[in-house]
Amino acid sequence: MRVKCKRILALLLIICLSITSVSCHKSTKKNTSETVKEQDPFFQTTVKEIRIEPEIDRKIQYFEQRHATIAGNSVIASYEVLYEYSPEMNKMLNDFYDTTVQQIGEVMRKVQEFYERGLVIFDFDGNPLSKIELPYNSEVVNLFPDRDGDIICLVEHMDFETLEYWRELLIYSTEGLLKETVKIPEGSLINPQHILVTADGSYILSDYSMIMILSHSGEVLGQLEDPELNGSVVEAGDKYYALLSSFLDNGQAESISFSELDIKTCSLKGEKRKLDTDIGDVVSGGDGKCYTIDGNGIHRVDLSTGSLEEILNWNSTDVNYYNYDPNSFRIISENKSAFLRSAAETDKVTGDMIEKTYAVSLSKADKNPHAGKKYIAIGTIGIPSNDLLDYIVAYNTEEGNTSRIRVKDYNTVLAPDLSFSQRQTILSDKVYEEMISGKGPDILVDFSCFSQFNSEEILVDLNKYVDGPNGLNRTEYFDNILSAFENKEKLYQIPVCFDIRGLLGNRDLIGERSGWTYSEFSGIVENLPSDVKVMKEMEYGELLERMLSDAMLDFIDYTKKNVFFDGDEFRQLLTITKEYGTDSVDDEPHNYDGNGLPDFNIEEESRNDPTKLMKDGKLALMPIEIYNLYQFAEYRSILKNNGIYIGMPSPSGAGVSAMPALTLAISSFSENKDEAWTFIRRLFDEDSQYTYTSSLGSIPLHRKAFDRICDDTIEDNRYLIEQFEHDQTFFSFLPFPETMVRIDQEDAKAFKALIERASTIMSTDPSVFQIVEEETAPFFRGEKSVEDVCRIIQQRAAEVISKR
């Protein structure tokens, strides 16, 4: 739910890095503004909630709407509901553990009087058409459409007498009539992720590492086992293709390939071919063709050639496509398609997070209704958050707006085997190249962690808008956070919300402070008592990221294109990382029982818990990230008034840092700067700040929105504790209520004071950080001196920065 900018074949990497090795100078070419044309494709959108309503005349203990799919012109959803037990039933269940095996079946039969399972069939307007009730001993495992628009319901049954299980495919018409039952052979381990029906009516069940073909009668016509099978079989014309994933030794996917499935022999034939890097998951569209869906739109895939044909770009719709379900995508007719998406929303009555399902149908319009509007382009790495997409849709459909937002997701063209740092490097360099050439988007979303963008050569100083006629009243916001996001007094990227990151320290062990230089840090921790750890073990890479990302701007001057990696301060940073980092952090070794299962030592784990060590005065520092009041109160409770919050050591000795959760920036090349600011400005109203930061689980920039969220947290905390004190079985499914931290306004006041002390931000430069990672590895292994490593990093980083 939270959108983070942190923590984001070989030929593509070489190509992208070679691009950045060529000298790039600011282009005189402008970001030429485009307008929507009448002939631009547009798809009218209908979005309807698919909602099952249980019986209202019975009190409900539990309700869940589970699986959903599209079949023909209908949407099908499964559900489970448990109604309130009678006193007699409660007594029977309380005595359940004393029940004999022979009596369990009788208990289960009585439970079904209070339990209901089944399917509901809807039209695309969300109207229920028919209902299928299933017995209590039949659990819906998944739903799939078949080729004729019927419903394939994978069900697991339990025999109350023998307590044995078996699985079947129940084939229903969209009118709710049971047409066929296909039993999956007993003893089969297959757990179908996808099911396809062939032209002759056989069923292809695909699972990870296994494919099985069944006849109508449940006869196994063929079975294939291959460890690379990834659970998907797709239909393309009159052929079927199995998708396969190969993996590296560390378990990371290396590539996705496909091979034709011979359904007569249930074997793969022909060569195994890799999917092109810009093709993600491939799904069947129900029309005999294959499709791939990503953050930019829907494309038809020709597996014989590897070519893509765009059939719909999200920008040619007014729809929120966050959390879409690619496997639900269906072609309804030549100009109409549909898919399902889900969204977690807060129930306004109970405050609970409810997962909702929406049916989205798209119909091609004769002409574009937005013709004449000016396009404003937004660049992202990944699909924008649910609320941000809602805002984009609302902005685009608002009457009187003369501009229209379109989004480009850059995170759609990389092979799966790239590491996080490699992806960050390639994608940030790609966007940087577009920006410097004048072809980039008008607005960048969540690029503040990429510090190379922070110059007037690339981005607009937003201070002139913040302090302008349609600006912000700084007294209403955490202005110190805006200052922290500045680079040499220029605000290039403005945060909608943020987290706090730093260290929790024991005042008795490290003294009173808010930050420290590398020398101060070393001097203090070297004098800790011998039985006190500095920090819990952390791998070199993680500690290096934490150390450098809060100090990157101290080592790179983007204005003058200078780097400072060969000085005393960077040597001190690396020395500290080597001293207090480790090669790898392994779980505590376990003893094993007679069955070969690990015997977890709960007492040992408790002794090594950093929270307990902090309380016992055996741990001086704990890395923290705080994104809400409850989390702050939990950290505060560890050491009570003896705890302090400190920044990571840095050249400037800065305090805790602000960690961006949602930021926006405007291109210096944009011809739509004022319109871009108008779009951005609305995200900073009190209500918008409250909405977005509640959704993202982060801290708002707006002070009143912050106060409202804190009040909500205090009230929720009070309610939960009161409920637990009233009825301790109320939270029987949760482990924490008896130790839940009590939160009050004093906690909120202290949290606000901590936020007001933040004076820097977490930021990085992926290309430079990748160099640092590569070159420090030999130093951490003891193979190179710190002087040699710093000299090489200085040379390589200077070359990268100078050629931008």
Side-chain angles (χ1 to χ4, degrees):
M1 184 176 80
R2 305 182 61 227
V3 177
K4 290 293 178 194
C5 191
K6 55 186 183 180
R7 308 173 185 72
I8 296 186
L9 54 243
L11 177 61
L12 177 60
L13 180 58
I14 292 170
I15 291 171
C16 289
L17 292 179
S18 66
I19 287 172
T20 62
S21 69
V22 178
S23 180
C24 294
H25 298 287
K26 186 171 180 179
S27 171
T28 56
K29 181 176 179 180
K30 297 297 182 182
N31 179 332
T32 304
S33 182
E34 296 181 53
T35 57
V36 183
K37 300 177 181 61
E38 200 172 77
Q39 63 269 28
D40 288 349
F42 189 80
F43 293 81
Q44 301 286 359
T45 306
T46 301
V47 181
K48 297 293 182 180
E49 183 182 353
I50 301 302
R51 183 174 180 178
I52 297 174
E53 299 284 358
E55 292 181 24
I56 59 174
D57 58 344
R58 300 179 70 182
K59 189 172 181 179
I60 295 172
Q61 288 193 73
Y62 164 83
F63 172 77
E64 183 180 10
Q65 188 170 309
R66 305 189 68 194
H67 311 286
T69 192
I70 294 174
N73 289 304
S74 303
V75 180
I76 303 89
S78 68
Y79 70 95
E80 293 184 2
V81 58
L82 175 63
Y83 296 103
E84 188 175 58
Y85 291 134
S86 64
E88 295 77 17
M89 190 71 243
N90 273 322
K91 184 178 186 310
M92 184 176 290
L93 289 173
N94 288 334
D95 298 336
F96 185 77
Y97 293 106
D98 296 327
T99 304
T100 64
V101 173
Q102 293 77 10
Q103 294 172 317
I104 290 177
E106 181 62 26
V107 174
M108 300 298 283
R109 274 189 289 272
K110 288 189 175 296
V111 165
Q112 68 182 324
E113 298 174 15
F114 305 91
Y115 210 105
E116 186 181 323
R117 279 175 169 156
L119 311 176
V120 177
I121 301 169
F122 298 83
D123 61 22
F124 279 112
D125 288 325
N127 301 310
L129 303 176
S130 57
K131 183 177 181 180
I132 302 166
E133 288 195 28
L134 296 171
Y136 169 63
N137 67 326
S138 300
E139 179 182 1
V140 178
V141 179
N142 214 335
L143 298 171
F144 309 93
D146 83 351
R147 64 188 304 115
D148 298 322
D150 291 330
I151 307 156
I152 304 173
C153 182
L154 174 61
V155 175
E156 185 170 74
H157 304 289
M158 184 184 74
D159 188 310
F160 287 150
E161 302 299 332
T162 64
L163 302 183
E164 294 179 345
Y165 292 86
W166 75 96
R167 286 173 295 166
E168 286 183 327
L169 305 181
L170 306 180
I171 317 301
Y172 290 99
S173 70
T174 50
E175 289 75 34
L177 301 176
L178 180 63
K179 299 176 68 174
E180 190 171 23
T181 299
V182 181
K183 187 173 182 179
I184 296 176
E186 290 184 20
S188 172
L189 298 177
I190 194 164
N191 182 28
Q193 307 302 307
H194 293 90
I195 296 178
L196 285 178
V197 183
T198 66
D200 66 1
S202 301
Y203 296 93
I204 303 176
L205 283 61
S206 53
D207 191 7
Y208 302 113
S209 305
M210 185 183 298
I211 292 174
M212 179 184 287
I213 301 179
L214 296 179
S215 69
H216 287 276
S217 61
E219 177 188 359
V220 178
L221 302 178
Q223 184 168 308
L224 168 66
E225 294 188 36
D226 188 318
E228 293 189 351
L229 291 170
N230 70 7
S232 293
V233 173
V234 294
E235 182 181 11
D238 58 352
K239 297 182 178 181
Y240 298 89
Y241 295 90
L243 300 183
L244 305 100
S245 299
S246 58
F247 296 89
L248 302 172
D249 292 339
N250 62 6
Q252 190 174 14
E254 179 182 24
S255 64
I256 298 177
S257 56
F258 63 97
S259 187
E260 185 178 347
L261 175 66
D262 187 330
I263 60 173
K264 293 182 179 179
T265 62
C266 196
S267 61
L268 302 180
K269 66 179 184 179
E271 63 175 338
K272 185 192 302 183
R273 289 175 288 174
K274 285 189 177 182
L275 285 173
D276 199 76
T277 56
D278 55 359
I279 300 176
D281 292 332
V282 177
V283 297
S284 294
D287 60 345
K289 297 182 176 64
C290 297
Y291 296 85
T292 184
I293 307 176
D294 60 27
N296 288 320
I298 300 170
H299 309 263
R300 187 177 289 121
V301 183
D302 186 339
L303 288 179
S304 63
T305 63
S307 62
L308 291 178
E309 176 192 357
E310 183 178 274
I311 66 167
L312 183 147
N313 189 292
W314 297 126
N315 294 314
S316 61
T317 70
D318 287 322
V319 65
N320 181 338
Y321 49 92
Y322 182 81
N323 217 20
Y324 62 82
D325 175 12
N327 292 309
S328 69
F329 174 70
R330 312 301 289 170
I331 295 291
I332 307 300
S333 63
E334 182 180 357
N335 291 317
K336 185 174 181 179
S337 56
F339 64 90
L340 302 177
R341 64 173 291 263
S342 60
E345 299 181 7
T346 303
D347 187 286
K348 294 181 179 179
V349 177
T350 66
D352 296 334
M353 294 301 294
I354 307 296
E355 191 78 13
K356 295 191 175 184
T357 300
Y358 295 93
V360 180
S361 54
L362 305 159
S363 302
K364 193 168 185 178
D366 295 330
K367 59 183 181 180
N368 197 312
H370 300 288
K373 290 185 178 181
K374 187 185 297 185
Y375 278 124
I376 298 176
I378 287 182
T380 68
I381 295 181
I383 295 173
S385 68
N386 180 52
D387 283 325
L388 185 55
L389 275 175
D390 272 345
Y391 172 50
I392 290 171
V393 171
Y395 182 91
N396 284 341
T397 55
E398 186 176 289
E399 196 166 338
N401 267 354
T402 58
S403 56
R404 179 173 175 80
I405 301 297
R406 59 178 173 184
V407 179
K408 181 176 181 180
D409 179 8
Y410 288 87
N411 194 30
T412 60
V413 293
L414 297 182
D417 61 331
L418 296 175
S419 68
F420 174 72
S421 60
Q422 287 174 323
R423 296 180 75 87
Q424 279 194 315
T425 299
I426 293 173
L427 293 172
S428 60
D429 284 348
K430 177 179 175 61
V431 180
Y432 186 91
E433 181 201 356
E434 287 191 11
M435 298 291 286
I436 204 74
S437 66
K439 299 176 183 177
D442 300 279
I443 297 173
L444 293 181
V445 175
D446 281 335
F447 276 72
S448 66
C449 59
F450 306 138
S451 50
Q452 68 264 41
F453 289 86
N454 293 334
S455 73
E456 288 190 278
E457 189 177 34
I458 306 296
L459 299 176
V460 171
D461 175 11
L462 295 177
N463 275 330
K464 69 178 183 180
Y465 284 106
V466 170
D467 297 322
N470 186 30
L472 308 179
N473 181 350
R474 289 180 181 268
T475 62
E476 296 178 355
Y477 300 84
F478 290 110
D479 194 40
N480 65 298
I481 300 296
L482 289 176
S483 298
F485 273 82
E486 290 181 347
N487 184 1
K488 300 189 184 306
E489 300 184 347
K490 307 285 186 181
L491 180 65
Y492 297 113
Q493 311 207 41
I494 187 169
V496 174
C497 47
F498 57 93
D499 302 338
I500 293 296
R501 174 166 130 148
L503 296 166
L504 174 63
N506 187 322
R507 182 183 279 104
D508 284 348
L509 295 172
I510 62 173
E512 184 68 51
R513 63 188 61 255
S514 60
W516 37 20
T517 63
Y518 301 122
S519 297
E520 289 170 338
F521 173 86
S522 297
I524 291 169
V525 300
E526 286 171 359
N527 291 312
L528 289 173
S530 59
D531 62 343
V532 174
K533 292 183 178 180
V534 177
M535 287 184 285
K536 188 179 180 183
E537 284 189 344
M538 192 182 303
E539 290 186 2
Y540 293 129
E542 183 182 356
L543 183 55
L544 179 64
E545 182 273 334
R546 284 185 171 272
M547 294 280 285
L548 188 54
S549 61
D550 285 356
M552 183 66 84
L553 295 180
D554 290 311
F555 296 108
I556 303 176
D557 184 334
Y558 290 97
T559 303
K560 296 181 179 179
K561 296 186 182 296
N562 290 330
V563 298
F564 312 100
F565 292 105
D566 58 352
D568 288 340
E569 288 172 329
F570 191 66
R571 284 194 288 271
Q572 289 176 340
L573 183 154
L574 295 187
T575 302
I576 290 171
T577 303
K578 185 175 182 179
E579 176 70 22
Y580 300 105
T582 184
D583 184 43
S584 63
V585 178
D586 296 324
D587 293 332
E588 292 293 328
H590 299 296
N591 296 320
Y592 291 85
D593 62 20
N595 298 316
L597 298 175
D599 181 16
F600 294 99
N601 190 329
I602 303 300
E603 184 178 342
E604 181 67 23
E605 288 186 7
S606 176
R607 281 200 300 266
N608 288 297
D609 175 45
T611 300
K612 185 177 188 306
L613 291 172
M614 289 288 285
K615 286 182 177 179
D616 294 343
K618 302 301 181 182
L619 190 68
L621 299 166
M622 179 192 295
I624 57 166
E625 290 173 5
I626 304 176
Y627 46 85
N628 61 31
L629 175 60
Y630 185 83
Q631 195 179 30
F632 172 81
E634 282 194 314
Y635 283 130
R636 194 182 189 208
S637 70
I638 296 174
L639 296 173
K640 304 293 189 259
N641 295 326
N642 218 30
I644 57 173
Y645 300 93
I646 322 157
M648 293 296 291
S650 66
S652 61
V656 294
S657 64
M659 184 175 171
L662 175 59
T663 59
L664 298 105
I666 299 176
S667 168
S668 63
F669 297 92
S670 173
E671 293 187 349
N672 306 308
K673 296 182 182 68
D674 292 345
E675 292 87 350
W677 174 253
T678 298
F679 170 81
I680 291 172
R681 173 63 182 83
R682 296 187 192 181
L683 296 171
F684 292 88
D685 293 333
E686 180 186 333
D687 288 342
S688 296
Q689 285 271 292
Y690 176 81
T691 297
Y692 285 94
T693 50
S694 295
S695 172
L696 292 170
S698 198
I699 304 167
L701 192 68
H702 199 289
R703 288 174 174 273
K704 287 186 178 179
F706 172 83
D707 291 339
R708 287 168 60 183
I709 292 172
C710 287
D711 289 344
D712 290 348
T713 304
I714 292 169
E715 177 59 27
D716 290 344
N717 176 257
R718 181 197 60 78
Y719 171 77
L720 291 174
I721 290 175
E722 283 183 359
Q723 288 295 112
F724 178 72
E725 291 175 343
H726 174 70
D727 178 8
Q728 295 194 7
T729 65
F730 184 79
F731 288 108
S732 58
F733 57 95
L734 294 175
F736 61 83
E738 64 272 22
T739 57
M740 180 182 287
V741 175
R742 294 177 183 267
I743 308 172
D744 57 28
Q745 289 296 338
E746 283 300 311
D747 293 299
K749 184 178 178 181
F751 187 24
K752 181 181 287 187
L754 173 63
I755 293 168
E756 291 172 337
R757 293 200 301 271
S759 57
T760 187
I761 66 166
M762 189 210 86
S763 183
T764 189
D765 185 320
S767 296
V768 174
F769 188 70
Q770 188 171 348
I771 292 170
V772 174
E773 278 188 310
E774 293 170 1
E775 298 300 339
T776 54
F779 168 65
F780 295 141
R781 292 195 299 265
E783 299 169 358
K784 283 187 178 182
S785 69
V786 69
E787 290 78 14
D788 287 344
V789 167
C790 290
R791 176 176 47 79
I792 297 170
I793 293 173
Q794 174 73 13
Q795 292 170 350
R796 291 186 61 188
E799 185 177 1
V800 169
I801 297 298
S802 66
K803 291 182 176 180
R804 281 182 176 154

